[in-house]
Amino acid sequence: MKQIRRWQRTLILALLSLSVVAPLIFVSHKLKFLTPDGRREFLDDLSSFTYRTDPLKLNAIEQEGAEELEEPKQVVYKENDFGVAISNNPERINDAEDSSTDGSRSNLLETNEVDHNEKQAEEAQQKGLSLADEHKRNINETVIHNLDISTESQRTSNENIEVRDKQSDHRATRRRQISRSQYRKVSNHKVEEIKDQIVRARAYLSFAPPGSNSHLVKELKLRIKEMERVVGEATHDSDLPRSVLQKMRHMEASLSKANRAFPDCSSMASKLRAMNHNVEEQLHSQQHQATYLVHLAARTTPKGLHCLSMRLTADYFALGPEQRKFPNENKINDPELYHYAVFSDNVLACAVVVNSTVSAAKEEEKLVFHVVTNSLYFPAISMWFLLNPPGKATIHIQNMDNFKWLSKYNTSKKYDSSDPRYTSELNYLRFYLPEIFPALDKIVFFDHDVVVQRDLSGLWNANMDGKVIGAVQTCEESKPSFHRMNMLINFSDPFISKRFDVNACTWAFGVNLFDLQQWRRHNLTAVYHKYLQMGSKMPLFNIGSLPLGWLTFYNKTMVLDRRWQVLGLGSDSSVDRNEIEQSAVIHYDGIRKPWLDIAMGRYKNYWTKFVNFDHPLLLRCNLQA
């Protein structure tokens, strides 16, 4: 038994030895190329090797058949060849996206290939290198060089493709965002359906007896609370939670139960009509209240402006008499200069009118500003311009309570209005310009809610052609400031209908050029007083200075180009921005003044850019843009 095991082990060891030694013997004759003779035989075999001629190519080298095989050419590339080729040929970049990477590499190599330099081959022969060695070295160098350049080309191409991918991803993301926003704008069907379900449920609850606590009543109340929580303040379907569909199905099931419990359709229709009437009444009441609150805000002085006026007034009375005087008093009656008047009791409004006019003027040393206010705000406005003089321009502040001649006119008329725009004497003081400025021949009058954006010397030098007032017309129906004569004047009165044309074109205050000499010649102040007295006895016109201006300056108005003034920034949200940018003066006519919280945000920056909100007084009064 031991002898048998010994033979088995011997046989296994012999077989293992044979499996190791036999391959070595079999392969040994194939390794003869490691010797000089074997190496030569290997090169001979290489020279007779036939390359495959099918369309398959390597990454960067175009292959040729064996019968056309030549000595490989040394490819020389100039610096930045690939960058120039890619950046200056956008068509190739686009083609690279559609073609294979191998094809793009081959095109790039073929574009940059140059002639072979034969000097290297001659030097290699002089050094004793064999033709076969040189042949193999050139093959290896060319392959390695081309592979390096192919790698660089691929990296550059990948970078360009990555940039294009990012740009395309950005464009795709932008398109998705736009389409998603458009979808949100129109997709509110579920929100409307939920609101309808709530209305129907409340209508069914009204049919239940008072104090009823049945299962259906409890269920409807529960569903109404659930749907009200779901819809909340949502205005689009995208604002609703994911569970909304399930809750809508539950509500619809409860409504079906109520429909079976209350099948009388006529009673349901009557109830819905009553609910609709109540909602309309509530809407009208809220609209009336909102209108009242807006007008109340327009009539109320903001807390910050009141604070500013009080602080400026206190500082003004702390000055001595000599410190309260303004420079250049000799210019205030010079008819050769450009005179501008603004009547206001608003410190910041006056500051913006003056600052904007000075900033747009080409010759600010020729500007003279006449600010007229009442005794309450005279110290504050004076102190503001003492602290913030208007550059090289001249400022002149007047107190209307010092006009002794004003007492001879009956200006004590009480208007049936609580709006200070209509009851303030400053609003009607514009009809006394010749008496306020007796030494001047011409003047440009501003409302205090305007901003000047262009130099006004062209307006000042306009030919009035015998007219008294220059104004921009407002009789085009396509304009937001459109007015007709009969909108503010009562043409049913015979006195009015005989003397005025209902189709006459209307015009606007805001920025107006007045020829004071012609005014005095026609004695228009007396004409104004005649219509004012008649209006106090009979309803000839609406309250305000505009209809009185149309009557007083009828047929005495020169039409100004519309680019001198754009209207509606305090009342209309659809004023064209291009028209605003091109206008010389923008006017915030309406109740939504730029210094109020109710101002239109889209137009407010045209006004606030002329206010320095970093001023210490404005910071202390918490006045912000």
Side-chain angles (χ1 to χ4, degrees), residues 195-207 224 267-283:
K195 292 179 180 179
D196 290 341
Q197 287 180 337
I198 294 174
V199 172
R200 290 164 55 196
R202 287 176 176 169
Y204 281 124
L205 280 178
S206 65
F207 291 118
I224 291 174
S267 299
M268 185 66 176
S270 300
K271 186 62 181 178
L272 290 175
R273 283 195 296 269
M275 294 175 64
N276 182 60
H277 178 73
N278 291 335
V279 171
E280 289 181 351
E281 290 294 327
Q282 292 177 8
L283 177 61

Side-chain angles (χ1 to χ4, degrees), residues 410-605:
N410 184 16
T411 60
S412 60
K413 173 177 165 37
K414 300 298 181 182
Y415 294 97
D416 185 17
S417 175
S418 59
D419 194 333
R421 296 177 300 164
Y422 302 135
T423 59
S424 174
E425 290 184 344
L426 286 170
N427 189 40
Y428 298 91
L429 201 61
R430 69 188 70 197
F431 294 103
Y432 300 97
L433 287 174
E435 287 76 16
I436 298 173
F437 307 107
L440 300 181
D441 298 332
K442 293 173 66 175
I443 196 167
V444 172
F445 181 81
F446 290 130
D447 280 352
H448 70 166
D449 53 353
V450 302
V451 175
V452 179
Q453 300 185 129
R454 301 284 185 272
D455 179 67
L456 299 181
S457 57
L459 174 63
W460 180 264
N461 296 318
N463 182 12
M464 297 290 288
D465 194 22
K467 302 296 183 179
V468 177
I469 179 176
V472 173
Q473 289 184 339
T474 58
C475 52
E476 290 190 14
E477 295 188 11
S478 60
K479 297 298 180 180
S481 57
F482 166 67
H483 283 107
R484 293 190 306 269
M485 288 283 285
N486 60 355
M487 293 177 67
L488 300 179
I489 299 175
N490 181 18
F491 274 84
S492 63
D493 187 276
F495 178 84
I496 296 294
S497 59
K498 290 180 181 179
R499 290 167 175 78
F500 301 94
D501 183 7
V502 67
N503 296 317
C505 201
T506 56
W507 47 268
F509 281 126
V511 51
N512 304 103
L513 175 63
F514 287 96
D515 187 333
L516 301 182
Q517 289 181 323
Q518 291 293 328
W519 185 321
R520 298 183 185 102
R521 189 171 70 86
H522 292 286
N523 195 17
L524 292 183
T525 302
V527 174
Y528 157 73
H529 275 283
K530 181 182 71 172
Y531 291 126
L532 183 64
Q533 294 297 328
M534 291 179 63
S536 63
K537 299 177 182 178
M538 61 187 71
L540 295 182
F541 47 81
N542 287 11
I543 191 171
S545 59
L546 185 58
L548 273 170
W550 292 346
L551 297 176
T552 302
F553 302 109
Y554 184 74
N555 286 337
K556 297 178 179 60
T557 304
M558 181 191 70
V559 178
L560 297 178
D561 190 279
R562 290 190 177 277
R563 289 175 294 180
W564 285 114
Q565 180 182 197
V566 62
L567 300 160
L569 276 71
S571 58
D572 186 74
S573 60
S574 61
V575 183
D576 187 6
R577 282 194 176 272
N578 292 330
E579 189 177 355
I580 294 175
E581 298 292 341
Q582 297 173 4
S583 180
V585 179
I586 58 176
H587 189 186
Y588 293 85
D589 58 314
I591 62 175
R592 304 180 69 174
K593 303 302 183 185
W595 54 83
L596 299 176
D597 293 335
I598 59 174
M600 295 185 183
R602 61 182 306 183
Y603 306 137
K604 193 171 182 178
N605 64 301

Side-chain angles (χ1 to χ4, degrees), residues 283-298:
L283 177 61
H284 293 158
S285 176
Q286 291 178 0
Q287 288 178 340
H288 179 74
Q289 184 179 8
T291 302
Y292 170 77
L293 292 176
V294 169
H295 283 270
L296 180 62

